Amino acid sequence: MSEVNRGSRVGGWTRFVTARPRLSLLVALVITALAVFAGSGVGDRMGSGGWEDPAASSTYATKALEREFPASQPNLLLLVDAGGKGVDDPGVAAEARRLTERLAAEDGVVGVGSYWQTRAPALRAEDGGEALIAARIVGTEKEAGETLERIAPEFRGTQGSLDVSVGGPVAVRHEMQAIIQEDLLRAELIALPVTLVLLVMVFGSAIAALLPLGIGIVAILGTNAVLRGITEITDVSVFAQNLTTALGLGLAVDYALFIVRRFREELAEGVEVRDAVGTTLRTAGRTVLFSALTVAVSLAAMMVFPQYFLRSFAYAGIAVVLLAAAALILLPAALMLLGHRVNSLDLRRLFGKGRKKPIPGDGTADGTAEGTSGGWGRTAALVMRRAPLFAVATATGLVLLGLPFLGVKFGTADDRQLPSSAEARVVQEDIRSGFPGSPGGGLEVLGEGGATAAEYADYRDRVAALPDVLRVDGPVVSGDHAYFTVLPRGEAVDQDTQRLVRELRAEPAAFDTSVTGTAAVLVDSKDAIGDRLPLAAGIIVVVTLLLVFLLTGSVLIPIQAVALNALSLTAMFGAVVWVFQDGHLSGFLGFTPTGDIETTLPVLMFCVAFGLSMDYGVFLISRIKEEYDRSGDHERSVIFGLQRTGGLITAAAVILAVVMVAIGTSRVTNTMMLGLGIALAVVMDAMVVRSLLVPAVMKLTGRATWWAPGPLRRFHDRFGVSEGGSHPAAVAGATDSAGGTGGSDGAVSGAGERDKIGV
């Protein structure tokens, strides 16, 4: 097919986005400006919780206790230091009582109690130098945070002869939210300039490098505006902002890299600008569309979980993927205006004495696909010559890296997520080490329906006799409601305490009971995730299989894609346990290991990392399929695909890893784990799975890779997506024994005849 015919068919979508490029970019600029305004202050409207199941028994009990017995659920703690006099000193006691009365008079604060009122041993430090004032700030997370901001300055610091520090769950959440926002700003300041430098290194041209960065900024700002709107109707976790920045920049760079690079290839072959845009959208545009769909599906699967922490990442992820895919609108318009100027400001001349270098990822300088020229082509050829060795060695290595995950222990996020200098953490550490009992580890049993004193006493005695129970306090009775406080023998969320939760729920009583507390929330969260995990995994697998089949027409490739993607995540999960649970490298990274992993984090990391792995998988598979449709030579197509996309995928992975590492510099442990873990998964997928395992497996499966039964083949012919030429069987006779037709990947035979995407 001639150059003109190859590019002459510019479909409806191409005509739409290129007819008025200046107007398209102006509209995009106006929308972006509005997004800046609409998304301002979004972080202040987000929550820092969301790990509990809102429909769980523990959630119901917590709300009922808050309503009926506010003092049973304190979320604000004032740690009072007596300054060497001792908390029982008359002067200290008088000052502390006045402080307690002041706190009780504050709006939004209920259930205020202190050691000096109750003389409860649990509220007095064992050395007698400190004691606690406990209270509950009522309202939603946002309302409680606003109340804390208002009253904390009035109580923090020196109060007469006392020194007061502010702690408790509400203070931990509020401080975590503030730190995350500060860290996110720092991560953006790190990631943006580094990304620009890397893009200049990849493209050479400063103009070309600015295009992906611009798309990333649009995606981030647009997603913040979307999240701001979502906060008006439901809770959104502040942690989702980190995903917005990482995916917004990473995916926009991925998609723009793929599109801009293909456009430059077309220009290098002498194609006119408009025709180059058309071919780019038929090829790279199609791939970007499918990539965006696969990533969006992986993230959307988190919608099946009830915890708003996970659902928040689905909201943010879907929005940012769709906005990153806006590259299909903005980039064609920009490329139409730039034309050959996309290669302007070639900074490589500063280092290469003006020597013309090939477009990144190309097989040869002249853009042809001959042989195995270039490092990636030679790598693919070597791997395919020793396919069994590389397949077994790589798969075995990945499995070994994932073995630590077999020892995973699930827990809940607490104050130790914060840096050691954070006030809320300092207070909790003081309580943990200096006060009697198991602070934060108690379980509350709510009784409803009314009962006699004898029935309450009988229940208390039977609970006290359970082997994992240290002590039972109560009941505290109010009308038809009562509650007991059960102190476990073990730690707050260890296996014995979790077993105790189930024992308490199974214990018969003359009244209705429900159990809450840290361990109860963890048990319910694990149950909710376990119940819905098969559905989420099924959605991801089934939709991914369908999308990849529509892309390739093969039965085997979708199965390979899902299996190899899952295998690529083993290193991430093994590292998460080895580092963050077991504490290796904790000194170097600056966090406190807790001996467990927050329950929702592995689900989140799987969905995000799986989607990103499919992102790179689609890039590689689509280029292999394009060449296979052209030549009908399976092995040559695999080598060609890796040769043309290996450098591109590696560059995209490095840039995304840089962004995730910037996120991983956070002082909040869960955010650090998320950033560093996904960075590792991305690098392993691009540099190990795509470079070694995929070509090895495709060599072993041979031409059977492309097989599909007749009904599915006809289904793909009707509904599948392809911009390539005739089926390989039709062109096989036109190829030599080596499959060497010698054309570039841009010269897709029959592109005009089988353009199904209509771009």
Side-chain angles (χ1 to χ4, degrees), residues 545 549 552-560 704-709 712:
L545 290 174
F549 173 76
T552 64
S554 162
V555 170
L556 193 56
I557 287 180
I559 297 173
Q560 287 179 358
T705 302
W706 306 100
W707 176 83
L712 288 181

Side-chain angles (χ1 to χ4, degrees), residues 321-344:
V321 168
L322 295 178
L323 287 166
L328 293 174
I329 300 174
L330 300 181
L331 280 180
L335 295 174
M336 279 293 297
L337 293 176
L338 288 172
H340 290 274
R341 287 173 293 180
V342 73
N343 297 317
S344 299

Side-chain angles (χ1 to χ4, degrees), residues 162-173:
L162 309 178
D163 186 62
V164 180
S165 301
V166 179
V170 69
V172 170
R173 288 197 302 267

Side-chain angles (χ1 to χ4, degrees), residues 56-65 67 73 443-448 459 481-486 501 504-507 509 511-517 520 524:
S57 171
S58 58
T59 305
Y60 169 80
T62 298
K63 292 180 178 179
L65 286 169
R67 182 180 65 251
Q73 297 282 294
L443 299 171
E444 285 78 40
V445 180
L446 171 69
E448 296 179 289
Y459 178 78
H481 296 80
Y483 80 92
F484 303 81
T485 300
V486 181
V501 171
L504 290 173
R505 288 172 172 171
E507 187 68 30
F511 44 89
D512 295 329
T513 62
S514 51
V515 182
T516 189
D524 290 337

Side-chain angles (χ1 to χ4, degrees), residues 185-197:
L185 177 60
R186 187 183 69 250
E188 290 173 343
L189 293 176
I190 294 171
L192 288 173
V194 174
T195 298
L196 180 58
V197 170

Side-chain angles (χ1 to χ4, degrees), residues 471-528:
R471 187 176 81 244
V472 179
D473 295 329
V476 177
V477 182
S478 175
D480 290 339
H481 296 80
Y483 80 92
F484 303 81
T485 300
V486 181
L487 296 180
R489 293 185 183 277
E491 295 296 326
V493 293
D494 66 12
Q495 293 300 315
D496 292 340
T497 306
Q498 293 179 52
R499 183 174 62 249
L500 176 59
V501 171
R502 300 191 188 279
E503 291 173 350
L504 290 173
R505 288 172 172 171
E507 187 68 30
F511 44 89
D512 295 329
T513 62
S514 51
V515 182
T516 189
T518 305
V521 171
L522 173 60
V523 168
D524 290 337
S525 180
K526 289 168 64 175
D527 288 347

